[in-house]
Amino acid sequence: MTDTFSFQLHATDGAARTGLISTPRGEIRTPAFMPVGTAATVKGMYPEQVRATGADVLLGNTYHLMLRPGAERVAELGGLHRFMNWERPILTDSGGFQVMSLSGLRKLDESGVTFRSHVDGAMHEMSPERSVEIQGLLGADIQMQLDECVRLPCTDEEAERAMRLSLRWAERSKRAFEAQPKGRALFGIVQGGAVPRLRVASAQGLADLDFPGYSIGGLAVGEPQEVMLAMIETVEPHLPAAKPRYLMGVGTPDDLVEAVSRGIDMFDCVMPTRSGRHALAFTRFGKINLKNARHQNDPRPLDETSDCPALRDYSRAYLHHLIRCEEMLGSMLLTWANLHYYQDLMRGMRAAIAAGTFADFKAATKEGWAQGDIPARP
């Protein structure tokens, strides 16, 4: 166990990378997918189950946790790790995206953002310093600078204004972070909308500030996949190769494979858990909608070769029945299945990069999705 934060690059295959992030609370194998624990829980899962899927790190939402139960209360109760019974690394976002997407009223200026809570209507202030303070009170191992995330599409002028503000906030966040205990890390966030020159300027400005890691934000906000991938390709050459790269809020299994092939190391997304609660399973055969009537007499599991009980031990007919009856076990099992599949995908990519066979792995994985689910025998 280390008392510092570090990143080691173990192998590359094209632009794809595999490595290891070391923190005082444990190691994170990369490429890594972080399940989202919005309110100090991965919905529908026990912490032990989440770990058993292969997750090395969870994400917590600063915005939600500052509103309920409150960062000071979590600190008094021993920190977020103890509070939610997860002793491995935790990454927290800055709260900026949720302020943009959830707050009914917000006012933004150089000092920070004032917003109305979507929970009880109370007014709150969030500055770069306060965001870092909240994340410190939670005890997060990896923290994010406060940034302004704009919706896409937007004008170049709006994207540049938000990017320049985010750069200034990055400096303030970094200064505020200096008071935190050794072994934690603060990541900068690249912004700039869908404008290449702005993305490059943001990445270069953040690299000059020498953060321990770098995030690409402001994507997966409604833009087409090709725009997201183009922005990754634009930014990647300007991010230090010796530091981890985190694509925030992404994505589908295909997004993960394509982003890893372009040099991304870390991901988070609500998609596997949210989809599980809405009857959608991600598998090596692609997506399977358990609401469909064709499953009601199908005795097969989702994937009989899987080592995950949720994928292997429950029939499609039973899962369909649970969904139709709105039994919570259906959502729990499909969430479990999805998180396992996502981690299995990451395991496969790590092994393929290490072996120098990533292109073959990518082609075979996409071929499996394209073939689709195997129909039941009549």
Side-chain angles (χ1 to χ4, degrees):
M1 197 70 74
T2 179
D3 63 351
T4 60
F5 177 94
S6 65
F7 175 61
Q8 291 180 307
L9 195 58
H10 288 167
T12 60
D13 188 355
R17 302 140 49 100
T18 185
L20 193 71
I21 296 171
S22 297
T23 81
R25 288 191 178 271
E27 296 176 333
I28 304 167
R29 298 162 292 177
T30 65
F33 180 81
M34 299 179 284
V36 175
T38 301
T41 174
V42 178
K43 288 183 174 65
M45 296 283 288
Y46 294 109
E48 299 87 349
Q49 282 179 299
V50 178
R51 176 61 180 151
T53 67
D56 293 333
V57 52
L58 296 184
L59 181 140
N61 287 113
T62 294
Y63 172 90
H64 291 282
L65 292 168
M66 70 173 281
L67 297 180
R68 289 185 301 195
E72 283 75 13
R73 177 170 292 153
V74 171
E76 290 170 1
L77 292 168
L80 188 56
H81 298 80
R82 181 178 296 178
F83 187 61
M84 65 184 292
N85 192 29
W86 177 266
E87 287 305 315
R88 295 193 57 81
I90 293 174
L91 179 148
T92 47
D93 58 16
S94 70
F97 177 79
Q98 282 76 24
V99 168
M100 178 198 78
S101 61
L102 294 179
S103 58
L105 173 69
R106 66 187 181 106
K107 178 184 176 184
L108 186 143
D109 57 28
E110 189 69 34
S111 63
V113 59
T114 304
F115 63 93
R116 189 181 300 279
S117 165
H118 77 288
V119 175
D120 58 9
M123 295 301 295
H124 295 267
E125 294 182 2
M126 177 87 82
S127 65
E129 293 80 9
R130 177 58 177 158
S131 173
V132 169
E133 180 187 20
I134 291 168
Q135 295 177 76
L137 287 166
L138 295 174
D141 305 282
I142 304 175
Q143 303 171 27
M144 296 294 125
Q145 67 149 109
L146 184 64
D147 63 327
E148 183 187 357
C149 180
V150 296
R151 296 183 186 276
L152 296 180
C154 70
T155 65
D156 290 8
E157 292 75 17
E158 177 67 3
E160 180 158 13
R161 183 202 58 75
M163 183 274 285
R164 299 290 178 190
L165 179 64
S166 295
L167 269 181
R168 295 192 295 274
W169 283 0
E171 285 193 75
R172 289 169 54 188
S173 297
K174 194 168 187 289
R175 285 197 299 270
F177 182 78
E178 292 172 357
Q180 293 210 21
K182 185 179 179 182
R184 298 179 182 178
L186 179 74
F187 284 19
I189 303 179
V190 176
Q191 289 291 352
V195 185
R197 64 176 178 83
L198 298 181
R199 287 284 178 176
V200 170
S202 178
Q204 291 174 338
L206 291 170
D208 289 344
L209 290 172
D210 192 28
F211 283 93
Y214 298 89
S215 307
I216 302 177
L219 296 174
V221 290
E223 81 283 356
Q225 186 195 50
E226 57 265 27
V227 172
M228 177 186 76
L229 297 179
M231 291 303 100
I232 297 171
E233 292 172 4
T234 297
V235 167
E236 187 271 339
H238 303 280
L239 295 178
K243 305 288 183 69
R245 304 157 175 171
Y246 163 31
L247 181 60
M248 305 180 77
V250 175
T252 66
D254 187 61
D255 289 337
L256 302 185
V257 172
E258 291 295 343
V260 166
S261 73
R262 289 162 171 81
I264 299 298
D265 305 305
M266 301 169 69
F267 305 87
D268 81 280
C269 191
V270 298
M271 188 165 290
T273 49
R274 181 176 289 167
S275 296
R277 298 195 302 275
H278 291 86
L280 189 66
F282 290 99
T283 75
R284 60 191 176 95
F285 311 112
K287 293 183 288 189
I288 300 175
N289 187 344
L290 273 303
K291 288 182 179 177
N292 290 345
R294 70 183 178 91
H295 300 294
Q296 62 185 350
N297 293 316
D298 193 338
R300 300 175 304 155
L302 288 168
D303 187 351
E304 62 185 10
T305 67
S306 175
D307 58 0
C308 172
L311 285 161
R312 182 193 63 217
D313 296 342
Y314 297 86
S315 73
R316 297 163 187 236
Y318 182 58
L319 293 169
H320 173 78
H321 160 73
L322 294 175
I323 296 300
R324 290 292 301 271
C325 295
E326 299 183 356
E327 286 288 343
M328 68 175 70
L329 181 59
S331 295
M332 292 166 64
L333 288 172
L334 291 179
T335 297
W336 187 6
N338 287 346
L339 286 178
H340 185 277
Y341 177 70
Y342 267 57
Q343 296 298 343
D344 207 37
L345 184 63
M346 307 315 285
R347 277 188 288 271
M349 287 195 282
R350 290 193 295 263
I353 295 166
T357 59
F358 182 76
D360 293 338
F361 176 86
K362 179 178 175 179
T365 298
K366 290 193 174 231
E367 183 180 353
W369 296 336
Q371 287 180 351
D373 190 23
I374 302 169
R377 289 189 291 271

